[in-house]
Amino acid sequence: MAKIKTVLVSQPKPTLVNSPYFDLQKKRKLKIDFIPFIHVKGATLKEIRLQKVDLSKFSSIILTSRYAVDHYFRVCERMRFKVPDSMKYFCQSEAVAFYLQKYVVYRKRKIYVGKRSFKELCPIISKHNKDENFLLPTTDKLKPKVPELLDSLDIKWKRCVFYKTVISDLTQLADVTYDVLVFFSPSGIESLFQNFPEFKQNGTKIAVFGSITKKAVEEKGLNVDIYAPSPKFPSMTMALDNYISKSNKK
């Protein structure tokens, strides 16, 4: 194996000083760059109105990410809709629930939290389905499994696209090469090929997170060298560390 010296992570740079990426960088003496291959853009009020959503009709909100939180409250503000104190919030994870405190007084609201995956949140939603009308604010690129799971719960719910996933301009990378490219979504792969239609993997190693991303990489004829999550390596940094420790051995 060729030695790994440079890594490009297709996400924004972590804001936490104790991020495991920084620990990995120091431990393995790497150069790790963070450049988002996609970014989020809010849907316009015109686009939202075309979806015929009446915010006052919903008694519960399902929040799957911090983006969903930001754009739900952005839309409410733009539409001059005052979110009632009685609103129930169903958050996919503790991280999303914690972020919700940016907009509401946590201890004074009805907030229900899943463990991590959307599937784990569903039993909590189903317990509160009586007379509830759920709104799911999402991006334009939603995993098909999410609406399938909600339909299986026999609840009243509506999806509304409040924000969009947009491909970033990566022309600054045209003459730059990395030993490892790290991807977390099919949209990241789409961005790679939209920016560089003639991309060839050659000796570049590709790391992916999740089976859907892995499938998108392989459909482009590329090889997946590093994969997470797995029972042995539940995080991307752990999978990277394992691979790099072997490739950099003298």
Side-chain angles (χ1 to χ4, degrees), residues 138-167:
T138 73
T139 175
D140 56 330
K141 297 184 185 295
L142 180 66
K143 293 178 181 177
K145 194 67 178 175
V146 172
E148 288 174 10
L149 286 168
L150 289 176
D151 285 340
S152 72
L153 298 180
D154 191 27
I155 61 173
K156 290 187 293 183
W157 72 280
K158 180 179 176 64
R159 175 194 176 192
C160 191
V161 175
F162 278 22
Y163 55 104
K164 302 176 182 180
T165 302
V166 181
I167 288 173

Side-chain angles (χ1 to χ4, degrees), residues 40-57:
V40 166
K41 181 180 180 182
T44 66
L45 290 189
K46 181 180 179 181
E47 291 170 330
I48 291 168
R49 289 191 177 108
L50 286 173
Q51 298 176 68
K52 297 180 180 179
V53 58
D54 182 350
L55 297 176
S56 67
K57 299 295 184 184

Side-chain angles (χ1 to χ4, degrees), residues 102-193:
K102 180 179 177 181
Y103 297 95
V104 302
V105 180
Y106 201 89
R107 57 188 171 79
K108 293 185 178 181
R109 299 294 183 270
K110 295 177 180 178
I111 299 171
Y112 306 93
V113 187
K115 293 182 179 179
R116 184 171 181 179
S117 70
F118 191 80
K119 186 176 181 179
E120 291 170 315
L121 177 64
C122 287
I124 301 172
I125 294 174
S126 65
K127 289 179 182 178
H128 297 266
N129 63 355
K130 188 179 179 181
D131 301 323
E132 295 293 338
N133 197 6
F134 294 86
L135 176 65
L136 177 70
T138 73
T139 175
D140 56 330
K141 297 184 185 295
L142 180 66
K143 293 178 181 177
K145 194 67 178 175
V146 172
E148 288 174 10
L149 286 168
L150 289 176
D151 285 340
S152 72
L153 298 180
D154 191 27
I155 61 173
K156 290 187 293 183
W157 72 280
K158 180 179 176 64
R159 175 194 176 192
C160 191
V161 175
F162 278 22
Y163 55 104
K164 302 176 182 180
T165 302
V166 181
I167 288 173
S168 303
D169 180 0
L170 303 175
T171 51
Q172 77 273 24
L173 297 176
D175 300 315
V176 184
T177 58
Y178 289 88
D179 299 323
V180 180
L181 300 179
V182 184
F183 295 98
F184 294 86
S185 72
S187 297
I189 307 301
E190 182 185 349
S191 175
L192 174 67
F193 279 91

Side-chain angles (χ1 to χ4, degrees), residues 2-239:
K3 282 195 174 184
I4 304 298
K5 297 180 180 178
T6 58
V7 177
L8 174 59
V9 178
S10 59
Q11 285 190 330
K13 187 175 182 177
T15 54
L16 298 175
V17 292
N18 60 345
S19 166
Y21 282 102
F22 300 144
D23 295 336
L24 177 64
Q25 183 173 244
K26 185 177 180 180
K27 179 181 178 181
R28 299 297 175 191
K29 298 178 181 178
L30 303 169
K31 179 180 185 291
I32 301 181
D33 289 335
F34 299 89
I35 300 176
F37 278 35
I38 56 175
H39 61 278
V40 166
K41 181 180 180 182
T44 66
L45 290 189
K46 181 180 179 181
E47 291 170 330
I48 291 168
R49 289 191 177 108
L50 286 173
Q51 298 176 68
K52 297 180 180 179
V53 58
D54 182 350
L55 297 176
S56 67
K57 299 295 184 184
F58 299 95
S59 55
S60 298
I61 307 296
I62 302 172
L63 300 168
T64 58
S65 70
R66 289 181 295 179
Y67 289 127
V69 175
D70 280 336
H71 288 282
Y72 170 68
F73 285 98
R74 173 185 68 87
V75 170
C76 289
E77 183 179 3
R78 293 286 302 279
M79 288 187 163
R80 297 180 181 176
F81 171 71
K82 187 180 185 303
V83 182
D85 293 346
S86 60
M87 183 66 73
K88 294 179 180 178
Y89 301 91
F90 292 82
C91 302
Q92 182 167 320
S93 66
E94 287 186 3
V96 175
F98 182 78
Y99 188 74
L100 188 59
Q101 295 181 83
K102 180 179 177 181
Y103 297 95
V104 302
V105 180
Y106 201 89
R107 57 188 171 79
K108 293 185 178 181
R109 299 294 183 270
K110 295 177 180 178
I111 299 171
Y112 306 93
V113 187
K115 293 182 179 179
R116 184 171 181 179
S117 70
F118 191 80
K119 186 176 181 179
E120 291 170 315
L121 177 64
C122 287
I124 301 172
I125 294 174
S126 65
K127 289 179 182 178
H128 297 266
N129 63 355
K130 188 179 179 181
D131 301 323
E132 295 293 338
N133 197 6
F134 294 86
L135 176 65
L136 177 70
T138 73
T139 175
D140 56 330
K141 297 184 185 295
L142 180 66
K143 293 178 181 177
K145 194 67 178 175
V146 172
E148 288 174 10
L149 286 168
L150 289 176
D151 285 340
S152 72
L153 298 180
D154 191 27
I155 61 173
K156 290 187 293 183
W157 72 280
K158 180 179 176 64
R159 175 194 176 192
C160 191
V161 175
F162 278 22
Y163 55 104
K164 302 176 182 180
T165 302
V166 181
I167 288 173
S168 303
D169 180 0
L170 303 175
T171 51
Q172 77 273 24
L173 297 176
D175 300 315
V176 184
T177 58
Y178 289 88
D179 299 323
V180 180
L181 300 179
V182 184
F183 295 98
F184 294 86
S185 72
S187 297
I189 307 301
E190 182 185 349
S191 175
L192 174 67
F193 279 91
Q194 185 161 320
N195 278 278
F196 310 107
E198 304 301 319
F199 175 79
K200 303 295 181 187
Q201 186 171 359
N202 297 324
T204 303
K205 307 303 178 185
I206 292 181
V208 302
F209 191 90
S211 58
I212 297 176
T213 309
K214 183 175 184 287
K215 182 181 177 182
V217 169
E218 291 173 341
E219 285 176 348
K220 290 293 186 180
L222 305 177
N223 296 319
V224 173
D225 302 283
I226 305 163
Y227 179 78
S230 68
K232 195 172 182 181
F233 307 114
S235 72
M236 176 55 74
T237 49
M238 291 175 69

